Amino acid sequence: MTGHGHHHHHHHERIDAALEGSAEGLRTLWFSFAVLAATTVVQAVIAALSGSVALLGDTVHNATDALTALPLALAFVLGRRAATRRYTYGYGRAEDLAGVFVVVVIAASAAFAGYEAVRRLLEPQEVSHLPAVAAAGLVGFVGNEWVARARVRTGRRIGSAALVADGLHARTDGFTSLAVLLGAGGGALGWWWADPLIGLVITAAILVVLRGAAREVWHRLMDAVDPALVDRAEHVLSHVEGVRGVGAVRMRWLGHALRAETSVVVDPTLTVVQAHAVAVAAEHALLHDVPRLAGVTVHIDHGHAPDADPHRALHHHFPVLGTHGS
């Protein structure tokens, strides 16, 4: 049930908030693209001068990583498109698909790091130009960690699981750069096995990050929300004037905007116009108090009273719904 009149402006503000979220996400992606591109250039120059294979691998890795910002940016841009008769909820889910892509890339990073480490254990190789390689590894680590923090922070703020996953992805690349740095340190001490051993440790670290990123994206694909948001919505609804009881509250993310649907119990003697006013008030209260909420559907229920006592109806509602009326 949509309301009319004064609260429409607020709905538009909410749509603007979702667009602002997209804009913020895109700003973060372009910032991270620039930082990683710069990191890659610095590493490529050092790799060319030093002829280090480990560093060359890390440089190629960072270059491909800078590029994962592109499908994510595309998803953010696509998510701004208006709903159509085929995509009636809009294109927000494109973000979750981009998240799946990021998780696959992280898994590939883990496989690549593991493969390289094992190969170097079986065929030890000399690493030359150690100071230069160490410096490049440090540059790679700093650049990636800087990007990781920016992406995760923005992703959490705007509610984008894909952006958080991509931030975790940058962190895994920072780890691989760190491996190059530590490997160079081990090489300087003459421990040929330091490089591949650190490679294995890094592979384990990437697998831990992969698990976190996969969980974020899995929750999105399965329509999971933070239970605290549901508690908050129920609390808000129960304090709306005219609401006698709150039914099930359902929420799901579409991209980085939330949609909700719920039912509220009102006095059976209300007219349709009065009941609709309660629904609009409920919708308005939720849009104000639940962060990142972009749309709500409120269903009106009046409780099927067996006799004239309107409250009798509510008593049998509560055990089922496990909620509290106002």
Side-chain angles (χ1 to χ4, degrees):
M1 204 176 262
T2 49
H4 302 288
H6 71 104
H7 95 290
H8 260 337
H9 74 96
H10 198 80
H11 183 61
H12 291 313
E13 279 165 31
R14 279 307 160 126
I15 291 177
D16 290 346
L19 287 177
E20 180 50 46
S22 299
E24 213 174 319
L26 284 167
R27 275 198 299 274
T28 301
L29 284 169
W30 293 130
F31 161 77
S32 59
F33 183 76
V35 171
L36 289 179
T39 302
T40 304
V41 169
V42 171
Q43 285 190 315
V45 169
I46 299 176
L49 296 176
S50 70
S52 156
V53 181
L55 183 55
L56 183 66
D58 193 46
T59 307
V60 170
H61 195 141
N62 276 327
T64 54
D65 271 5
L67 297 177
T68 61
L70 300 181
L72 204 52
L74 182 66
F76 272 112
V77 171
L78 192 59
R80 294 165 140 180
R81 290 179 63 171
T84 62
R85 289 186 68 80
R86 184 179 294 278
Y87 295 96
T88 55
Y89 281 95
Y91 293 81
R93 281 256 183 254
E95 215 177 292
D96 300 331
L97 283 177
V100 173
F101 171 76
V102 170
V103 168
V104 169
V105 172
I106 297 175
S109 299
F112 175 75
Y115 169 78
E116 278 292 300
V118 172
R119 191 175 64 78
R120 289 205 302 272
L121 266 177
L122 300 176
E123 313 163 13
Q125 43 186 189
E126 198 62 50
V127 180
S128 58
H129 307 282
L130 294 173
V133 174
L138 188 61
V139 168
F141 175 67
V142 171
N144 275 296
E145 185 56 29
W146 190 18
V147 164
R149 290 186 180 195
R151 284 180 184 169
V152 171
R153 193 169 55 239
T154 305
R156 294 234 186 275
R157 187 165 61 239
I158 70 171
S160 169
L163 193 55
V164 170
D166 208 27
L168 294 175
H169 167 226
R171 182 157 288 153
T172 63
D173 300 336
F175 287 153
T176 54
S177 296
L178 199 57
V180 171
L181 169 67
L182 295 172
L189 296 171
W191 300 339
W192 68 267
W193 45 264
D195 194 31
L197 188 68
I198 288 162
L200 287 174
V201 171
I202 295 295
T203 303
I206 294 177
L207 288 172
V208 171
V209 172
L210 174 63
R211 187 167 154 245
R215 194 193 293 118
E216 289 269 345
V217 174
W218 166 256
H219 281 165
R220 276 306 156 85
L221 291 176
M222 291 299 293
D223 282 338
V225 292
D226 180 354
L229 287 173
V230 179
D231 294 342
R232 184 163 180 173
E234 289 175 341
H235 176 76
V236 169
L237 287 169
S238 67
H239 287 77
V240 172
E241 197 177 339
V243 171
R244 297 284 187 84
V246 180
V249 173
R250 293 189 184 87
M251 292 186 181
R252 54 156 55 147
W253 286 96
L254 286 170
H256 47 269
L258 272 174
R259 293 198 69 91
E261 50 191 81
T262 184
S263 60
V264 294
V265 180
V266 300
D267 186 320
T269 61
L270 295 185
T271 63
V272 172
V273 172
Q274 289 167 325
H276 180 257
V278 174
V280 171
E283 186 183 350
H284 204 179
L286 286 176
L287 286 170
H288 266 292
D289 288 353
V290 178
R292 312 238 51 88
L293 191 61
V296 191
T297 304
V298 179
H299 172 81
I300 290 293
D301 225 333
H302 58 70
H304 315 292
D307 56 34
D309 176 15
H311 294 116
R312 269 286 288 281
L314 301 181
H315 300 319
H316 81 270
H317 265 262
F318 290 129
V320 179
L321 302 169
T323 54
H324 308 282
S326 52

